Amino acid sequence: MYRFFLSWRFLRSRRTNLIGVFGIFLAVGALILILSIMTGFLEETRRSARGSLSDLIITLPPYSESKRPRDPAPVLEILRADERVEGASAHLGWMCILTRQDERSLRILVDSQSSEIAGVKLTGVDPATEDSAAEFRHSLDKVGRSEEGEIVAPRLRVSKLEDPFAAPPEYNANVGRPRASVIVGEKVMTYHGLRRGSFITLMTAVPDPKSDTGWSAKKREFVVAGCFRSGENEIDLERVYIDRGQLARFLAGVSEDDPLPEDSILYSEVLVKLKDYAADAEDVRATMGARLYKAGLLDETCTIRTWEEFRGALLGAIENERVLMGIMLSLILVVAGFTIFAILSMMVTEKRRDIGILTALGATPRGVLALFLLIGFWDALIGALSGAVVGTWMAIKIDPFERWLSETFGVQIFNREVYLFDSIPSVVTPVAVAAIVLGAFVCTLLFAAVPAWRAASLDPVEALRNE
Amino acid sequence: MSSSANIVLSARGIVKRFRSGDSELEILHGVDLDLRSGERLALMGPSGAGKSTLLHILGLLERPTFGAVDVDGRDAWALSTQERAALRNRHIGFVFQFYHLLPELDAVENVMLPAMIAQSRGDFREDRRAHIAKAMDLLANFGLSHRLKHRPTQLSGGERQRVALARALFLDPPLIIADEPTGNLDRDTGELVLELLFRAQEQRNLSLLLVTHDERLAERCGRVLRLEAGRILGPLPGRG
Ligand SMILES: Nc1ncnc2c1ncn2[C@@H]1O[C@H](COP(=O)(O)OP(=O)(O)OP(=O)(O)O)[C@@H](O)[C@H]1O
Ligand SMILES: [Mg+2]
């Protein structure tokens, strides 16, 4: 019984032990806090990446030589027939340069250092089916709302969610020639100084066998019907939505109200949403690929990819960073363990005589070993548990805490604009907390074992010989 | 008196060598010693003769280079570390010249220390009240009823030695080993501590092995052995 009793007494009677406890407390708390934030970042990034990407993306480049049908209908039909498929929608993507009658456009075009870009990815969608495969209307609906969800900036939003490409109320269709609507990314809106009803000019090139360069230029004016927010910087900065039929007309060079010519380019990719992505993705990819290929709807130029493959580099980088951070921060644990080692070593030297006395009174070397290991154990117990509690609490409350700090001291620690997160993401995983606490225990006990073993192998007589 | 049944401690052919650098230093050259139950034995000799070394060997704190120590009829140095520790705990009570109390514990806790070492946590908790009562009783007997909660640093030398004495007696061991128990005390205080030690020894019929430089003290022991240069010089007649 003396081991418990004396380890507590020794612990309490030496203030220096507090340093060790505090070290473990700090290490465990910081590890939990930072890993929670990194996990939060990872999950938040995954989620925002998800928001704009569908489960499977089939890319079908519209080369003129390909024998594939021009219309996406047969592909969509086969996909939608599969019971594991939730929905499918066709896209037509085309890179354009965006300008408007404004000096700003010139500035953006000539400034090589600017992060504001003139190049946009014009994306033709079918508003009727787009939501079955991607979070299209959700990204429209997020715009112009306050934190509480109230609409505070109605002039950023499309006027009718159910018919997003309807002409905006600010646009008088009777002035000049008719113009099709586009919905621009939130950042495109700001950087180019656009408003709902603004006119923009999009320019691009399309393949043209009749031209001596093989390409011919296209240019057309559009009206801005509103903007969207995907939450992902890259997309909000360069994507512009348009009705797929209108994009096809633009590329074919026929006017907004005319029927499409036979050979127009109608789609370049198909988005597929699955009912159970985790379970079916690989299987659907294989079977659908084979079936579409057999039907002559797919050829070697086409690819079927999961959304994770598009974001693989980013997700991998964050995961990597999280692991690296964990490893580096684990070094704090080692430092804390080293403090315990130093303090206990001092204690053993200081308590040589007491160890001799205990041995004379009948303590075994094993008992003395346990006594000093227990001191390390108490250090770890107090430090790791308090660190886990405070670290977890901080991880849960980091957002209000950071806001409070910002408001009180006027320094912004976390720039919500940069990350496009509305709050600091933080996810506390019990398994990680348990692993960190366990790691603290193992580390402390390993470091405590050295002085404890030294105490156990002390010669009691030597210690008792003199005062 | 000669029956081997009541021999509490017996040492045969104790040789102790210390290695110092390359050479070996032999301190004890084959010591034989028997201690009978209830006997009071004083060990005298010049400084450096090896008295403390012999006491440590007899007290199972230090392994002899050669020779055997029988405690309670068992060859102590042939036992496992655990068994030997238990023997020290139950059969031998130590009193040192420098008291050797634990500074973190108060008087009562110091006295109970042998029981803490002997018992598991559960057992000790069960017997706690009895132990505390016994410790307080012992301390009160030694005139320390007003010092129960004092730490060693708050006690005088004589008081500390009385606490150490109570600790040595706590588990009622049949044998007390004392190395110059009064060596660090003034004459009157030493007398008082000795008085208490002898009284306890008589009341409990303990065997007492005592190292001292004090002739007058030795006179009060039943038997006096002289250790000189690592050898026992034979018994001197004791009076007392
Ligand atoms: N660990 C050791 N290593 C080497 N020599 C030692 C060791 N322990 C004791 N000695 C030597 O053994 C001799 C006997 O020492 P011991 O302490 O037994 O003497 P003592 O008779 O108790 O003397 P005193 O009356 O001064 O206490 C001394 O010369 C001492 O230097
Ligand atoms: Mg000595």
Side-chain angles (χ1 to χ4, degrees):
Chain A
M1 112 95 200
Y2 68 104
R3 300 176 201 91
F4 269 86
F5 177 73
L6 283 182
S7 57
W8 252 118
R9 264 304 154 83
F10 286 179
L11 187 74
R12 277 188 10 209
S13 66
R14 288 287 169 282
R15 287 276 165 76
T16 38
N17 275 300
L18 285 180
I19 300 172
V21 172
F22 188 68
I24 298 173
F25 164 80
L26 267 189
V28 168
L31 261 175
I32 290 176
L33 179 60
I34 291 179
L35 284 188
S36 295
I37 291 177
M38 293 300 284
T39 309
F41 258 82
L42 189 64
E43 288 198 0
E44 195 64 31
T45 309
R46 257 176 177 290
R47 203 171 302 135
S48 65
R50 285 252 49 172
S52 49
L53 277 176
S54 301
D55 291 336
L56 293 178
I57 294 120
I58 310 177
T59 317
L60 312 102
Y63 297 125
S64 52
E65 318 85 64
S66 86
K67 302 275 182 297
R68 283 182 270 120
R70 299 267 145 189
D71 197 76
V75 177
L76 292 173
E77 199 177 309
I78 288 184
L79 287 169
R80 285 172 185 154
D82 192 292
E83 58 179 13
R84 290 167 298 182
V85 173
E86 168 100 34
S89 182
H91 269 193
L92 173 56
W94 213 270
M95 194 77 191
C96 295
I97 287 177
L98 186 154
T99 54
R100 61 177 299 215
Q101 287 190 336
D102 188 322
E103 271 182 19
R104 204 187 304 234
S105 289
L106 182 65
R107 219 163 48 223
I108 293 172
L109 277 171
V110 298
D111 186 355
S112 66
Q113 306 303 314
S114 174
S115 62
E116 308 170 1
I117 49 175
V120 293
K121 284 175 178 158
L122 194 55
T123 308
V125 297
D126 297 328
T129 60
E130 182 66 10
D131 275 299
S132 69
E135 294 193 352
F136 176 57
R137 278 199 180 63
H138 183 61
S139 72
L140 302 181
D141 197 32
K142 270 203 281 192
V143 170
R145 285 184 188 274
S146 70
E147 263 178 60
E148 289 75 36
E150 283 167 69
I151 296 173
V152 287
R155 304 249 344 230
L156 291 174
R157 299 162 59 85
V158 295
S159 57
K160 274 184 274 177
L161 274 181
E162 57 281 9
D163 184 11
F165 292 113
E170 292 81 1
Y171 168 62
N172 186 349
N174 301 323
V175 178
R177 56 186 301 281
R179 296 172 186 86
S181 304
V182 292
I183 302 168
V184 301
E186 198 180 36
K187 301 254 152 141
V188 178
M189 195 87 149
T190 348
Y191 286 158
H192 290 270
L194 302 174
R195 284 197 306 258
R196 188 162 78 182
S198 297
F199 293 156
I200 58 167
T201 304
L202 294 173
M203 286 172 278
T204 190
V206 294
D208 183 3
K210 280 172 276 182
S211 156
D212 50 357
T213 57
W215 292 89
S216 67
K218 297 286 174 197
K219 177 188 83 172
R220 185 167 288 183
E221 200 169 38
F222 296 91
V223 62
V224 174
C227 68
F228 68 89
R229 178 202 292 178
S230 71
E232 203 180 336
N233 199 33
E234 208 176 297
I235 285 175
D236 291 346
L237 193 60
E238 50 184 42
R239 184 174 288 184
V240 175
Y241 283 121
I242 185 171
D243 180 80
R244 190 163 60 87
Q246 287 301 339
L247 177 51
R249 284 182 180 85
F250 171 37
L251 299 179
V254 299
S255 92
E256 283 81 353
D257 306 326
D258 289 344
L260 279 161
E262 279 291 294
D263 61 344
S264 36
I265 300 168
L266 287 176
Y267 76 113
S268 59
E269 60 183 21
V270 172
L271 309 187
V272 183
K273 188 172 179 181
L274 300 177
K275 286 180 181 136
D276 186 353
Y277 172 80
D280 296 333
E282 288 309 315
D283 196 36
V284 171
R285 166 149 73 167
T287 55
M288 281 298 120
R291 199 173 303 167
L292 290 170
Y293 189 80
K294 215 183 283 173
L297 300 171
L298 225 59
D299 58 31
E300 289 76 13
T301 59
C302 307
T303 55
I304 307 182
R305 281 177 284 180
T306 63
W307 72 268
E308 279 169 291
E309 286 172 316
F310 280 86
R311 300 285 184 254
L314 178 65
L315 296 180
I318 295 178
E319 175 64 32
N320 231 5
E321 213 170 305
R322 193 171 72 107
V323 172
L324 266 179
M325 204 77 139
I327 292 172
M328 287 195 294
L329 283 173
S330 301
L331 287 180
I332 307 182
L333 268 186
V334 177
V335 173
F338 208 79
T339 323
I340 300 282
F341 168 79
I343 292 170
L344 272 184
S345 294
M346 261 162 53
M347 208 158 171
V348 169
T349 309
E350 190 185 334
K351 296 232 164 285
R352 280 171 63 102
R353 196 178 60 105
D354 298 19
I355 295 166
I357 296 169
L358 288 171
T359 313
L361 296 181
T364 57
R366 215 178 285 174
V368 173
L369 182 91
L371 167 62
F372 281 90
L373 269 185
L374 266 176
I375 297 176
F377 179 83
W378 299 131
D379 284 337
L381 190 75
I382 302 168
L385 288 193
S386 57
V389 169
V390 173
T392 306
W393 183 78
M394 283 278 286
I396 294 168
K397 294 280 178 199
I398 183 68
D399 194 62
F401 181 67
E402 191 272 346
R403 274 177 212 276
W404 175 82
L405 269 188
S406 302
E407 276 161 29
T408 314
F409 298 105
V411 244
Q412 199 177 29
I413 300 160
F414 179 83
N415 188 344
R416 287 170 180 75
E417 296 293 305
V418 168
Y419 289 104
L420 286 167
F421 297 145
D422 301 323
S423 60
I424 301 178
S426 164
V427 174
V428 181
T429 30
V431 178
V433 172
I436 290 166
V437 169
L438 188 75
F441 268 93
V442 170
C443 190
T444 311
L445 288 183
L446 279 181
F447 274 103
V450 181
W453 184 80
R454 200 164 65 87
S457 50
L458 271 185
D459 179 8
V461 171
E462 192 126 354
L464 286 175
R465 202 168 277 278
N466 298 308
E467 175 74 311
Chain B
M1 201 63 177
S2 57
S3 146
S4 68
N6 55 9
I7 286 189
V8 174
L9 176 78
S10 153
R12 286 285 166 270
I14 302 295
V15 172
K16 182 65 190 178
R17 288 179 193 152
F18 287 112
R19 194 180 304 278
S20 60
D22 300 334
S23 60
E24 271 205 337
L25 203 65
E26 191 164 297
I27 304 297
L28 298 173
H29 310 293
V31 173
D32 298 331
L33 188 144
D34 283 319
L35 189 64
R36 292 177 204 92
S37 156
E39 187 181 23
R40 207 185 272 175
L41 172 62
L43 192 61
M44 297 193 72
S47 184
K51 304 181 297 296
S52 295
T53 308
L54 180 60
L55 235 51
H56 290 145
I57 291 171
L58 298 177
L60 313 184
L61 285 169
E62 191 157 37
R63 185 183 287 275
T65 314
F66 300 111
V69 180
D70 285 11
V71 177
D72 197 30
R74 286 188 286 173
D75 181 359
W77 287 103
L79 298 173
S80 73
T81 312
Q82 269 71 16
E83 289 170 314
R84 195 163 45 249
L87 212 52
R88 253 194 331 260
N89 183 235
R90 293 287 184 175
H91 282 84
I92 305 172
F94 283 100
V95 182
F96 301 97
Q97 179 179 355
F98 298 107
Y99 333 121
H100 287 337
L101 301 173
L102 291 196
E104 276 86 7
L105 310 189
D106 64 28
V108 170
E109 288 164 339
N110 260 301
V111 172
M112 292 192 300
L113 202 53
M116 290 188 194
I117 291 172
Q119 290 188 304
S120 72
R121 226 148 63 87
D123 290 350
F124 185 85
R125 197 174 297 164
E126 244 168 58
D127 301 345
R128 207 176 114 86
R129 278 171 190 284
H131 285 323
I132 291 179
K134 186 175 179 184
M136 300 213 304
D137 201 36
L138 269 171
L139 288 171
N141 258 331
F142 292 167
L144 290 175
S145 45
H146 57 303
R147 294 279 185 272
L148 300 176
K149 288 285 148 199
H150 285 54
R151 298 273 168 106
T153 45
Q154 300 164 318
L155 298 173
S156 73
E159 286 167 337
R160 287 188 217 183
Q161 198 60 306
R162 281 183 275 164
V163 173
L165 202 55
R167 181 180 68 185
L169 295 169
F170 190 73
L171 286 184
D172 302 311
L175 169 63
I176 299 285
I177 292 181
D179 192 351
E180 301 184 40
T182 58
N184 221 31
L185 302 174
D186 65 62
R187 177 181 283 246
D188 290 349
T189 316
E191 284 295 322
L192 174 65
V193 168
L194 268 180
E195 229 29 78
L196 294 170
L197 177 60
F198 286 164
R199 206 174 73 202
Q201 189 259 338
E202 272 161 15
Q203 278 170 1
R204 295 155 190 249
N205 196 34
L206 304 171
S207 308
L208 177 64
L209 178 54
L210 189 78
V211 165
T212 182
H213 288 291
D214 187 346
E215 294 283 350
R216 293 185 314 124
L217 200 167
E219 280 172 10
R220 300 175 60 185
C221 292
R223 190 152 63 107
V224 179
L225 288 180
R226 202 162 276 280
L227 186 74
E228 238 164 75
R231 283 203 175 75
I232 299 272
L233 288 188
L236 295 179
R239 289 150 281 160

